[in-house]
Amino acid sequence: MTVSNGRQFLSIPGPTNIPDEVLQAMNRPAIDLYSGSMLGITYSLLDDLPKLFKTAGRVYMYAANGHGGWEAAFTNVLSRGDRVLVLESGRFAVGWGEMARLMGAEIEVLAQSGRKAVDPSAVEVRLKADTKHSIKAIFVVQIDTATGVVNDLPAIRKAIDSAGHPALLMVDTVASLGCMPYEMDAWGIDVTMAGSQKGLMTPPGLALVAAGPRAMEAHKAANMRTMYWDWTFRDGPEHYQKYCGTPPEHTIFALRKAVDLLFAEGLENAFRRHALLAEATRRAVAKWAEGQVLSFNIIDPAQRANSVTNILVNGMNPQIILDYCREKCGVVLGVGIGDLTGKAFRIAHMGHTNAPMVLGTLAAVEMALKALKIPHGSGGVQAAIEYLGSEVAP
Ligand SMILES: *Cc1c(COP(=O)(O)O)cnc(C)c1O
């Protein structure tokens, strides 16, 4: 017996739920790539996207996933042999560094346990030791979906400044843009990359890269540049240069609609919605953790991300929970990845999501814990409801 018919709940940290309006925006014929309406959508996005990153710099759009965005970001500013300091806080900054290594960068990882955010004081110590300024760039993620951590970017910026170090600060916001505050210029970030398929509620396939003035300066001397990603080429006068070829029209239609939805909600409201739904999830997990089997992967509550919660499962394989939720309830949870493979599961609360979606997901998990006789404190969903009921005023 199952109770899984009905709409499937996708509660994985990307790709995330796509709003019906965004799906409908794609449900149209291809259009002339030279037409005024195609040009209009492109240029309106190039005007609007910097507002998401909070930058006066330029944003570039690529037909690519996040990994493509990584390559776009560093090939534009690095030269072969340049040293990059990767700030580990899970899987993604390290993966970004691996890509840069294959393109000829020298990678140094500032290692860090998978249960904590990057320690800004360790960054400061390492940079102070680099008296010759051989480190050219620093890679860090804002939210690492493999661990569920959020890094304190202003504190990292402060550490770099205290060390008086000129390295470019490059940030991956794939799992945080549109979900929590991001202030590229105010926080002194030189390059930011993002993907379409998480907080931005758009199908996978578009990567965004924002570049500030110091990045533009570094770009001039960079020798890792390749034509497809190249900012100088994309800054050219022709519309086809904005994509280095045919525009990925339908994903662009989708992104245009998704950005409209985000602006209509208001970025601050979207951030607050994410914070509320994330805290509701954490209230439930905290209750379940009383059973001594489940626990938060991120130890310090202040370092837990507002787009995804990673839950350790001690002494058993979490796959039975995932299988039960999917097969019996129609709820798809995220698997543990990286060091947490086979040890954790993830609940995403990112992008196009609301109280019934998150409460429904939490209820399915609690049902699984009961059905599978996994020790847990009961009342997790109740705790989530009580939190939301006290925070969301009539
Ligand atoms: C998902 C994710 C990526 C990778 O994006 P892809 O589109 O799968 O290449 C990169 N960084 C972070 C933080 C992510 O969560």
Side-chain angles (χ1 to χ4, degrees), residues 116-188:
K116 284 191 221 158
V118 168
D119 173 7
S121 62
V123 176
E124 184 174 336
V125 168
R126 177 62 193 95
L127 292 178
K128 275 187 172 152
D130 182 33
T131 49
K132 293 199 181 113
H133 294 168
S134 67
I135 294 167
K136 298 299 174 204
I138 296 165
F139 292 179
V140 64
V141 298
Q142 188 174 26
I143 288 179
D144 195 306
T145 33
T147 52
V149 82
V150 57
N151 285 314
D152 185 344
L153 299 173
I156 292 170
R157 174 78 254 171
K158 213 163 144 242
I160 300 169
D161 292 344
S162 305
H165 202 288
L168 294 175
L169 179 55
M170 304 180 57
V171 179
D172 170 338
T173 61
V174 176
S176 52
L177 197 72
C179 307
M180 64 171 289
Y182 187 73
E183 302 274 345
M184 176 157 165
D185 291 358
W187 297 348

Side-chain angles (χ1 to χ4, degrees), residues 65-67 70 92 143 145 172 174-175 197-198:
N65 60 15
H67 282 66
W70 281 344
F92 288 96
I143 288 179
T145 33
D172 170 338
V174 176
Q197 80 273 24
K198 296 189 186 178

Side-chain angles (χ1 to χ4, degrees), residues 52 129 135 149 287 353:
L52 287 180
I135 294 167
V149 82
K287 270 281 168 207
T353 185

Side-chain angles (χ1 to χ4, degrees), residues 204-215:
L206 280 179
L208 308 175
V209 177
R214 294 178 71 239

